[in-house]
Amino acid sequence: MVQGTASHVGKSVLVTALCRIFRQDGYRVAPFKAQNMSNNSFVTPTGGELGRAQAVQAEACGVEPQVEMNPILLKPEADHTSQVVLLGKPAAKASARYFATAKPMLWQSVASSLDTLRSQYDVVVIEGAGSPAEINLKQNEIVNMRVALHSGAPVLLTGDIDRGGVFASLLGTMEILEPQERDAVGAYIINKFRGDVSLLEPGLVWLEERTGKPVLGVVPYYRDIEIAEEDSVSLEERQQLKSQTGYALDIAVMGLPHISNFDDFDPLKREPGVRLRYVESRDSLGEPDLIVLPGTKTTMADLSWLRERGFAAEIKRQADAGTPIIGICGGYQMMGRRIFDPDGVESPDPEAEGLDLLPVDTVFAPVKETHRVRGVVSSGSGLLARAESAAVEGYEIHMGSSTPTGEAVRPFRISRPGQPAADDGAISADGKTLGTYVHGLFNSYALRRALLEQLAGWKGVKLPPPSDTGGQLSRDGEYDKLAETVRHSLNMELLYCLTGLEPPEIE
């Protein structure tokens, strides 16, 4: 089990690395995180919903994600409540007080899910959440030390040295833990180190002597490995990136307060010649070559935010002037004429005006739609003019449906498991405004390159050649690079000793 001294110390990425390492060493391996709080989620083949990080970790393991890998997913909403997704399905809309009374039921789901995975796989790599030393949360905690003690898993306590104070964080965490919890800690990992590791040696020796626990390794800070993240802190870092120079295309993603599935746009970020930026202030929008309205957990609230910040009028002005606009899921809903919420799914307001960028009406429904989808571009015009018949593959997570009016063209033909093929999305008459429910749209290499080439053609610029196809082969390569970096940073003999597993035979 990987636990941390705080949020965003690198737990998710380290679990991903360990998953790939154990897979490389011949074990059947699966990830597990008892409880996530994130609007970045994914859909299993059976239509269940789980945190995006566990889907990434499952991919690193070479297995399909299943809801037991993340039995509890909390999706924050606009009114200080969260939608509770239990074993892949919405179960409640709850505030913090809900968890004190629901703890026995939630723990039963956590324990049974972990036990199920342990019966199916040789190794389960568990991820904690936040810190195990949060005194105000320990009484109802079901994601850190309670999981470790239930499973008997050795804990790798991880600290982020890039933040500073890593030795105080590790020692302070150990001091706050109960004796049996301290006993569960098998070793420390120092993460995100920059520089010469030998200069850190006195601190490592001091930590080991002070606590009696070994340091498993020091993992370097890296910039050349692309692994999808779900943490909102990683999104904040993306929003704070310094401006690039020498780009051919400028793509602005609206940094909505309740943005979801922001890793939808990572494939665009990796394309040479493309600057991808997240925009939260009206003054920073500028005149981009493409504006993207991303998914959101709360469409109505974030639509109001766009109006309050002056974005709605500016996006409408730029669309009328010919700036291409793409909306994904909640962003697609916003782009329509009207949104109806007769059952109060999102808001006490029964309806709201959309941005009127597409001839579409949306009606929210209490039942969440979660599907894996495959399909093709069925109408190649405008933004999709170079993408006719390109493959589309992704997933849907939304509550409600959007119905285009008679003059709207539906650009995608998609299939959901167990359902007949259907049309999806809408595209404007001039082809420059596009909406769809499909998350992961830009993972399609052919569609992504065709769309970028179309934008470049309209602008009169030339894109650099692509670095790779950006598909599964590319992601596998990133997992392998991550595994190599972490493997060479850790004492693998000690790791295998802690786990009780047989290390691989070295040829």
Side-chain angles (χ1 to χ4, degrees), residues 247 250 252 254 275 277 279-291 311 314-315 317-318 323:
Y247 55 86
D250 177 31
M254 303 309 302
R275 178 174 79 155
R277 53 194 177 91
V279 177
E280 289 187 326
S281 68
R282 166 67 182 80
D283 294 339
S284 63
L285 178 58
E287 300 281 342
D289 303 306
L290 173 67
I291 296 174
F311 280 124
E314 178 60 16
I315 291 170
R317 183 194 70 79
Q318 293 205 30
T323 300

Short mmCIF file of all heavy atoms in Angstrom, two decimals, residues 247 250 252 254 275 277 279-291 311 314-315 317-318 323:
data_model
loop_
_atom_site.label_atom_id
_atom_site.label_comp_id
_atom_site.label_asym_id
_atom_site.label_seq_id
_atom_site.Cartn_x
_atom_site.Cartn_y
_atom_site.Cartn_z
N TYR A 247 4.33 28.22 -31.05
CA TYR A 247 3.25 27.29 -31.33
C TYR A 247 2.50 27.73 -32.59
O TYR A 247 2.46 28.92 -32.94
CB TYR A 247 2.29 27.19 -30.15
CG TYR A 247 1.74 28.52 -29.70
CD1 TYR A 247 0.61 29.09 -30.29
CD2 TYR A 247 2.36 29.24 -28.67
CE1 TYR A 247 0.12 30.31 -29.88
CE2 TYR A 247 1.88 30.46 -28.26
CZ TYR A 247 0.75 30.99 -28.86
OH TYR A 247 0.27 32.21 -28.46
N ASP A 250 -3.35 27.75 -30.92
CA ASP A 250 -3.63 28.10 -29.53
C ASP A 250 -5.02 27.60 -29.18
O ASP A 250 -6.02 28.03 -29.76
CB ASP A 250 -3.55 29.62 -29.37
CG ASP A 250 -3.89 30.07 -27.96
OD1 ASP A 250 -3.63 29.32 -27.02
OD2 ASP A 250 -4.43 31.20 -27.82
N ALA A 252 -7.81 27.05 -26.14
CA ALA A 252 -8.20 27.49 -24.81
C ALA A 252 -9.32 26.61 -24.28
O ALA A 252 -10.40 26.53 -24.89
CB ALA A 252 -8.65 28.96 -24.85
N MET A 254 -11.91 26.09 -21.22
CA MET A 254 -12.49 26.87 -20.14
C MET A 254 -12.30 26.12 -18.82
O MET A 254 -12.70 24.96 -18.67
CB MET A 254 -13.98 27.10 -20.39
CG MET A 254 -14.29 27.82 -21.72
SD MET A 254 -13.33 29.33 -21.97
CE MET A 254 -13.82 30.26 -20.51
N ARG A 275 -0.43 24.80 -28.40
CA ARG A 275 -0.44 25.30 -27.03
C ARG A 275 -1.85 25.08 -26.46
O ARG A 275 -2.83 25.57 -27.01
CB ARG A 275 -0.11 26.79 -26.97
CG ARG A 275 -0.18 27.32 -25.53
CD ARG A 275 0.28 28.76 -25.40
NE ARG A 275 -0.74 29.70 -25.83
CZ ARG A 275 -0.80 30.97 -25.39
NH1 ARG A 275 0.11 31.43 -24.55
NH2 ARG A 275 -1.74 31.78 -25.84
N ARG A 277 -4.13 25.60 -23.08
CA ARG A 277 -4.15 26.33 -21.81
C ARG A 277 -5.56 26.32 -21.22
O ARG A 277 -6.55 26.21 -21.95
CB ARG A 277 -3.67 27.77 -22.01
CG ARG A 277 -4.40 28.54 -23.10
CD ARG A 277 -3.68 29.82 -23.48
NE ARG A 277 -4.36 30.51 -24.58
CZ ARG A 277 -5.30 31.44 -24.41
NH1 ARG A 277 -5.66 31.80 -23.19
NH2 ARG A 277 -5.88 32.01 -25.45
N VAL A 279 -8.35 28.35 -19.00
CA VAL A 279 -8.66 29.77 -18.83
C VAL A 279 -9.70 29.94 -17.74
O VAL A 279 -10.78 29.33 -17.79
CB VAL A 279 -9.18 30.36 -20.16
CG1 VAL A 279 -9.58 31.81 -19.96
CG2 VAL A 279 -8.14 30.23 -21.26
N GLU A 280 -9.38 30.78 -16.75
CA GLU A 280 -10.33 31.05 -15.67
C GLU A 280 -10.74 32.51 -15.59
O GLU A 280 -11.74 32.83 -14.95
CB GLU A 280 -9.73 30.62 -14.33
CG GLU A 280 -9.63 29.12 -14.15
CD GLU A 280 -9.19 28.75 -12.75
OE1 GLU A 280 -8.38 29.51 -12.16
OE2 GLU A 280 -9.64 27.72 -12.24
N SER A 281 -9.97 33.41 -16.19
CA SER A 281 -10.32 34.82 -16.15
C SER A 281 -10.61 35.34 -17.55
O SER A 281 -9.99 34.92 -18.52
CB SER A 281 -9.17 35.64 -15.52
OG SER A 281 -8.04 35.65 -16.38
N ARG A 282 -11.55 36.25 -17.62
CA ARG A 282 -12.00 36.80 -18.91
C ARG A 282 -10.84 37.44 -19.68
O ARG A 282 -10.72 37.28 -20.89
CB ARG A 282 -13.11 37.82 -18.63
CG ARG A 282 -13.49 38.74 -19.77
CD ARG A 282 -14.16 37.98 -20.91
NE ARG A 282 -14.46 38.88 -22.00
CZ ARG A 282 -13.58 39.30 -22.90
NH1 ARG A 282 -12.32 38.89 -22.82
NH2 ARG A 282 -13.93 40.13 -23.85
N ASP A 283 -9.94 38.10 -18.96
CA ASP A 283 -8.84 38.81 -19.62
C ASP A 283 -7.83 37.87 -20.26
O ASP A 283 -7.09 38.28 -21.15
CB ASP A 283 -8.12 39.72 -18.62
CG ASP A 283 -9.01 40.86 -18.14
OD1 ASP A 283 -9.99 41.18 -18.83
OD2 ASP A 283 -8.72 41.43 -17.07
N SER A 284 -7.79 36.62 -19.80
CA SER A 284 -6.78 35.69 -20.31
C SER A 284 -7.27 34.85 -21.49
O SER A 284 -6.51 34.06 -22.04
CB SER A 284 -6.29 34.77 -19.19
OG SER A 284 -7.36 33.96 -18.71
N LEU A 285 -8.53 35.02 -21.88
CA LEU A 285 -9.05 34.21 -22.99
C LEU A 285 -8.38 34.57 -24.30
O LEU A 285 -7.93 33.70 -25.06
CB LEU A 285 -10.57 34.38 -23.10
CG LEU A 285 -11.24 33.63 -24.25
CD1 LEU A 285 -10.97 32.13 -24.17
CD2 LEU A 285 -12.74 33.91 -24.28
N GLY A 286 -8.26 35.85 -24.59
CA GLY A 286 -7.62 36.29 -25.84
C GLY A 286 -8.43 35.87 -27.05
O GLY A 286 -9.66 35.78 -27.01
N GLU A 287 -7.70 35.58 -28.14
CA GLU A 287 -8.33 35.19 -29.42
C GLU A 287 -7.76 33.83 -29.83
O GLU A 287 -6.94 33.73 -30.76
CB GLU A 287 -8.05 36.24 -30.49
CG GLU A 287 -8.56 37.63 -30.16
CD GLU A 287 -10.06 37.77 -30.40
OE1 GLU A 287 -10.63 36.93 -31.13
OE2 GLU A 287 -10.65 38.73 -29.85
N PRO A 288 -8.15 32.75 -29.18
CA PRO A 288 -7.58 31.44 -29.49
C PRO A 288 -8.06 30.91 -30.84
O PRO A 288 -9.03 31.41 -31.42
CB PRO A 288 -8.08 30.57 -28.34
CG PRO A 288 -9.37 31.20 -27.94
CD PRO A 288 -9.17 32.68 -28.12
N ASP A 289 -7.39 29.88 -31.31
CA ASP A 289 -7.79 29.23 -32.56
C ASP A 289 -8.91 28.22 -32.33
O ASP A 289 -9.59 27.82 -33.29
CB ASP A 289 -6.58 28.52 -33.19
CG ASP A 289 -5.44 29.49 -33.44
OD1 ASP A 289 -5.68 30.51 -34.11
OD2 ASP A 289 -4.32 29.23 -32.97
N LEU A 290 -9.10 27.81 -31.10
CA LEU A 290 -10.18 26.89 -30.73
C LEU A 290 -10.52 27.11 -29.27
O LEU A 290 -9.63 27.20 -28.43
CB LEU A 290 -9.76 25.43 -30.95
CG LEU A 290 -10.72 24.36 -30.45
CD1 LEU A 290 -12.03 24.35 -31.25
CD2 LEU A 290 -10.06 22.97 -30.51
N ILE A 291 -11.82 27.20 -28.97
CA ILE A 291 -12.29 27.27 -27.59
C ILE A 291 -12.98 25.95 -27.27
O ILE A 291 -13.80 25.46 -28.06
CB ILE A 291 -13.28 28.44 -27.38
CG1 ILE A 291 -12.56 29.78 -27.62
CG2 ILE A 291 -13.87 28.40 -25.97
CD1 ILE A 291 -13.50 30.98 -27.58
N PHE A 311 -17.78 35.39 -19.71
CA PHE A 311 -17.33 34.45 -20.73
C PHE A 311 -18.42 34.14 -21.74
O PHE A 311 -18.14 33.98 -22.93
CB PHE A 311 -16.87 33.14 -20.08
CG PHE A 311 -15.50 33.17 -19.50
CD1 PHE A 311 -15.28 32.85 -18.18
CD2 PHE A 311 -14.41 33.52 -20.29
CE1 PHE A 311 -14.01 32.88 -17.64
CE2 PHE A 311 -13.12 33.54 -19.76
CZ PHE A 311 -12.93 33.23 -18.43
N GLU A 314 -18.64 36.65 -24.48
CA GLU A 314 -17.42 36.67 -25.29
C GLU A 314 -17.30 35.43 -26.16
O GLU A 314 -16.88 35.51 -27.33
CB GLU A 314 -16.20 36.80 -24.38
CG GLU A 314 -14.86 36.78 -25.10
CD GLU A 314 -14.68 37.90 -26.11
OE1 GLU A 314 -15.46 38.89 -26.07
OE2 GLU A 314 -13.77 37.80 -26.96
N ILE A 315 -17.67 34.27 -25.62
CA ILE A 315 -17.64 33.05 -26.43
C ILE A 315 -18.62 33.16 -27.58
O ILE A 315 -18.32 32.78 -28.71
CB ILE A 315 -17.95 31.82 -25.55
CG1 ILE A 315 -16.80 31.57 -24.57
CG2 ILE A 315 -18.19 30.59 -26.40
CD1 ILE A 315 -17.11 30.53 -23.51
N ARG A 317 -19.61 35.93 -28.99
CA ARG A 317 -19.06 36.90 -29.95
C ARG A 317 -18.00 36.25 -30.83
O ARG A 317 -18.00 36.43 -32.06
CB ARG A 317 -18.44 38.09 -29.20
CG ARG A 317 -17.89 39.18 -30.13
CD ARG A 317 -16.99 40.15 -29.40
NE ARG A 317 -15.73 39.55 -29.02
CZ ARG A 317 -14.70 39.35 -29.86
NH1 ARG A 317 -14.82 39.66 -31.16
NH2 ARG A 317 -13.58 38.82 -29.43
N GLN A 318 -17.11 35.47 -30.21
CA GLN A 318 -16.05 34.84 -30.99
C GLN A 318 -16.62 33.77 -31.92
O GLN A 318 -16.14 33.62 -33.06
CB GLN A 318 -14.99 34.24 -30.06
CG GLN A 318 -14.21 35.30 -29.30
CD GLN A 318 -12.83 34.82 -28.87
OE1 GLN A 318 -12.21 33.99 -29.54
NE2 GLN A 318 -12.31 35.39 -27.78
N THR A 323 -14.66 31.83 -34.74
CA THR A 323 -13.78 31.01 -33.92
C THR A 323 -14.42 29.64 -33.68
O THR A 323 -15.56 29.57 -33.22
CB THR A 323 -13.50 31.68 -32.56
OG1 THR A 323 -12.88 32.94 -32.78
CG2 THR A 323 -12.60 30.81 -31.69
#
